[in-house]
């Protein structure tokens, strides 16, 4: 059996006649029942002609099932996603290709692909006779308003005989995965971190990769200029050393996403939690485009990407990989079981450099105080989503057991945060500009965001 041929079909063939009989359609079962009934009546009544008719009716579906079961279609199938990663609400196209790799033509085939119900109805295609060595290509579209990872497959072939007596299904073994990431909105270039780009003075330096310039001698690497050999260090260490020269400093940004289940209410694409996830994704992409080293941090303290010692995406050539990794993480991120922000606090208290952008749900007094202690010298911006406001747009009274949003905002601002309340329907670019206005304008820390509905 060639590569790409139906994997489970081999197991079906080992099932013997039982598999073929299980594939009888309603028409085939009716013919078989009618034939057996006619044969019994002919035996009781002694009618030879009726017996022959009954045997013909009973044998026809059995012959069709046997012939169909023994049919050896050597068909290779493949699937291609375009693209394989799409934002929520956007469409992706799935291309299916069937190749007849045998020397015999096939009959009419029904091709269907298994997709999750959130992507739409199950696609089905009827393929006419495929000549020997021929191919057929079909495609369909999928779309989801909910982020996530969705399996596509396995691809199935439904074989049927010309009389419609029997129908067998043979499945391919390969799967593909469609990744639906959060919506990413373009953000205006503001100066939340005090710099116009991701490079500037007064920030922690990052070590260069091979061939880059640093500040102290290091071991020789293939490709280094021999004119940079530091002979004194070479004599001291007994190996070839080269000079490091000063490297531009790279600004850092941490995006903190509050995923506590008790901090949000509601579900669906328009819920507060989905707004926070989309906001975190937009900020991550925006800061990467500006040249920042970024990381994604959750309330549990988990950090993405985590390959480095500090969890930041380092060199610029890694930005695309870092963005893809963080988008894949946000595509499947869900509510955590935690009730506090202690995990994130423990990670952030070790360093005080770089910009911190946080998306918080409901904050009671204790969690607001803990969040206040996360404020950083490099700047801290918080977008606080009030769950009661997202469920009840005109509600001015906090829900029972929830924190006072006004008190939490005041506590954050007093500790150095630029805290912005996010009402239901707020546009991300509007609250982003408001954060810049409050941070750099004359009325910093004094007002809140009141508009920006879309």
């Amino acid at each position: 059996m060639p590569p790409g041929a139906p994997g489970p079909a081999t197991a079906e063939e080992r099932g013997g006649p039982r598999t073929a009989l299980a594939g009888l359609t309603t028409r085939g079962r009716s013919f078989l029942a009618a034939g057996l009934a006619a044969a019994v009546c002919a035996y009781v009544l002694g009618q030879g002609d009726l017996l022959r008719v009954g045997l013909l009716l009973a044998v026809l579906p059995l012959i069709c099932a046997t012939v169909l079961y023994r049919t050896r279609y050597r068909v290779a199938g493949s699937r291609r996603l375009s693209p394989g990663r799409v934002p929520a609400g956007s469409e992706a196209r799935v291309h299916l290709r069937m190749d007849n790799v045998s020397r015999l033509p096939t009959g009419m085939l029904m091709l269907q692909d298994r997709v999750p119900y959130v992507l739409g109805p199950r696609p089905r295609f009827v393929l006419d006779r495929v000549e020997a060595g021929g191919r057929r290509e079909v495609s369909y579209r999928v779309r989801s308003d909910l982020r996530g990872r969705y399996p596509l497959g396995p691809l199935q072939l439904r074989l049927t005989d010309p009389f419609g007596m029997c129908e067998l299904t043979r499945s391919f073994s390969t799967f593909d995965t469609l990744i639906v990431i959060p919506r990413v909105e373009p953000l205006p270039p503001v100066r939340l971190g005090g710099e116009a780009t991701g490079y500037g003075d007064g920030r922690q330096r990052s070590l260069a990769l091979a061939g880059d310039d640093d500040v102290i001698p290091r071991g020789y690497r293939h490709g280094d200029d021999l004119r940079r050999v530091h002979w004194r260090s070479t004599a001291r260490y007994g190996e070839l050393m080269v000079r490091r020269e000063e490297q531009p400093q790279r600004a850092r940004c941490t995006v903190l996403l509050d995923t506590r289940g008790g901090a949000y209410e509601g579900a669906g694409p328009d819920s507060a939690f989905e707004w926070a996830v989309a906001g975190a994704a937009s900020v991550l992409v925006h800061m990467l485009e500006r040249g920042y080293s970024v990381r994604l941090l959750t309330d549990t303290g988990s950090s993405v990407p985590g390959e480095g010692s500090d969890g930041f995406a380092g060199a610029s050539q890694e930005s695309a990989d870092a963005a893809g990794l963080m988008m894949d993480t946000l595509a499947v991120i869900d509510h955590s079981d935690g009730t506090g922000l202690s995990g994130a606090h423990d990670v952030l208290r070790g360093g005080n450099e770089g910009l911190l952008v946080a998306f918080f749900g409901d904050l009671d007094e204790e969690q607001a105080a803990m969040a206040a202690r996360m404020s950083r010298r490099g700047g801290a911006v918080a977008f606080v989503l009030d769950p009661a406001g997202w469920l009840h747009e005109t509600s001015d009274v906090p829900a029972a057991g929830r924190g006072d949003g006004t008190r939490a905002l005041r506590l954050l601002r007093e500790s150095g945060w630029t805290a912005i309340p996010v009402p239901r329907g707020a546009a991300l670019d509007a609250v982003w500009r408001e954060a810049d206005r409050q941070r750099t304008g004359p009325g910093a820390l004094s007002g809140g965001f009141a508009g920006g509905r879309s």
Side-chain angles (χ1 to χ4, degrees):
M1 189 169 292
T10 303
E12 291 180 358
E13 292 172 3
R14 290 196 297 265
R18 183 179 301 177
T19 302
L21 294 177
L24 289 177
T25 62
T26 302
R27 179 183 300 177
R29 295 175 186 274
S30 300
F31 267 68
L32 180 61
L36 293 177
V40 171
C41 293
Y43 177 78
V44 173
L45 300 177
Q47 297 291 328
D49 294 336
L50 182 59
L51 179 61
R52 287 189 288 271
V53 173
L55 292 177
L56 177 62
L57 293 177
V59 169
L60 180 60
L62 298 178
I63 294 177
C64 291
T66 303
V67 173
L68 184 64
Y69 177 75
R70 292 187 172 274
T71 299
R72 294 295 189 268
Y73 287 139
R74 301 182 63 199
V75 180
S78 62
R79 182 190 300 102
R80 179 172 57 88
L81 302 180
S82 178
R85 182 189 289 118
V86 296
S90 301
E91 289 185 345
R93 183 168 288 276
V94 183
H95 301 270
L96 303 178
R97 172 176 164 177
M98 301 296 300
D99 294 275
N100 182 10
V101 297
S102 66
R103 298 181 180 180
L104 299 176
T106 68
M108 186 172 61
L109 305 175
M110 177 177 289
L111 180 67
Q112 66 179 10
D113 206 5
R114 300 185 65 178
V115 300
Y117 72 94
V118 296
L119 298 182
R122 178 174 297 183
R124 295 177 178 174
F125 305 92
V126 176
L127 304 180
D128 294 332
R129 176 179 179 272
V130 182
E131 65 279 4
R135 73 175 57 164
R136 296 290 185 270
E137 294 184 2
V138 293
S139 65
Y140 64 93
R141 295 178 296 178
V142 291
R143 178 181 182 273
S144 175
D145 292 328
L146 298 174
R147 55 186 176 80
R149 295 173 62 93
Y150 299 102
L152 301 179
L155 198 62
Q156 293 181 331
L157 277 178
R158 296 176 61 186
L159 313 178
T160 183
D161 65 280
F163 300 101
M165 298 288 180
C166 185
E167 185 178 89
L168 297 179
T169 300
R170 296 178 179 175
S171 299
F172 289 75
S173 58
T174 57
F175 291 80
D176 287 283
T177 301
L178 175 68
I179 302 178
V180 181
I181 63 176
R183 296 185 182 93
V184 175
E185 299 183 18
L187 299 178
V190 298
R191 298 173 63 89
L192 293 176
E195 297 291 339
T197 65
Y199 295 90
D201 298 329
R203 289 180 170 84
Q204 182 175 342
R205 300 177 183 272
S206 56
L207 293 179
L209 300 177
D212 291 343
D213 292 329
D214 290 325
V215 291
I216 60 177
R218 59 168 172 82
Y220 175 82
R221 299 169 186 168
H222 180 71
D224 286 335
D225 191 348
L226 291 178
R227 291 174 296 181
R228 292 171 49 197
V229 173
H230 195 269
W231 297 109
R232 182 178 300 176
S233 299
T234 299
R236 178 180 179 182
Y237 293 103
E239 60 176 322
L240 198 60
M241 306 290 290
V242 296
R243 293 187 303 271
R244 293 179 176 181
E245 299 176 5
E246 189 171 358
Q247 180 189 4
Q249 300 163 357
R250 190 177 181 88
R252 290 179 169 183
C253 176
T254 299
V255 178
L256 172 60
L257 176 62
D258 181 7
T259 63
R260 295 172 298 141
Y264 301 92
E265 290 186 0
D270 298 327
S271 63
F273 182 66
E274 294 301 322
W275 192 99
V277 173
S282 301
V283 172
L284 286 169
V285 173
H286 176 73
M287 302 310 287
L288 279 172
E289 291 175 348
R290 294 184 63 193
Y292 278 72
S293 293
V294 300
R295 69 173 170 182
L296 171 64
L297 185 67
T298 66
D299 56 290
T300 61
S302 59
S303 177
V304 179
E307 291 83 355
S309 59
D310 53 6
F312 283 88
S316 57
Q317 59 264 32
E318 298 174 356
S319 296
D321 295 337
L325 179 60
M326 288 184 284
M327 290 300 105
D328 291 349
T329 301
L330 290 176
V332 296
I333 199 167
D334 202 355
H335 293 296
S336 66
D337 297 330
T339 58
L341 302 172
S342 58
H345 176 266
D346 293 341
V347 174
L348 293 174
R349 69 180 179 182
N352 215 14
E353 77 285 346
L355 174 66
L356 174 61
V357 181
F359 292 84
F360 291 120
D362 177 65
L363 292 175
D364 56 23
E365 188 171 353
E366 178 183 356
Q367 300 309 319
M370 182 169 293
R373 294 194 295 269
M374 301 180 192
S375 180
R376 320 186 89 181
R377 291 193 302 267
V381 181
F383 299 99
V384 183
L385 289 75
D386 180 20
W390 280 77
L391 286 179
H392 309 288
E393 194 169 347
T394 59
S395 175
D396 296 327
V397 181
R402 294 198 171 273
D404 187 346
T406 304
R407 183 179 302 175
L409 289 171
R410 182 168 57 251
L411 185 58
L412 291 174
R413 289 167 179 168
E414 290 174 351
S415 61
W417 284 83
T418 302
I420 307 298
V422 180
R424 180 179 179 86
L428 180 59
D429 60 343
V431 295
W432 185 251
R433 290 182 185 275
E434 177 64 16
D436 178 52
R437 187 191 68 80
Q438 290 196 20
R439 181 171 174 80
T440 61
L445 306 182
S446 63
F449 177 71
R453 298 185 186 276
S454 57

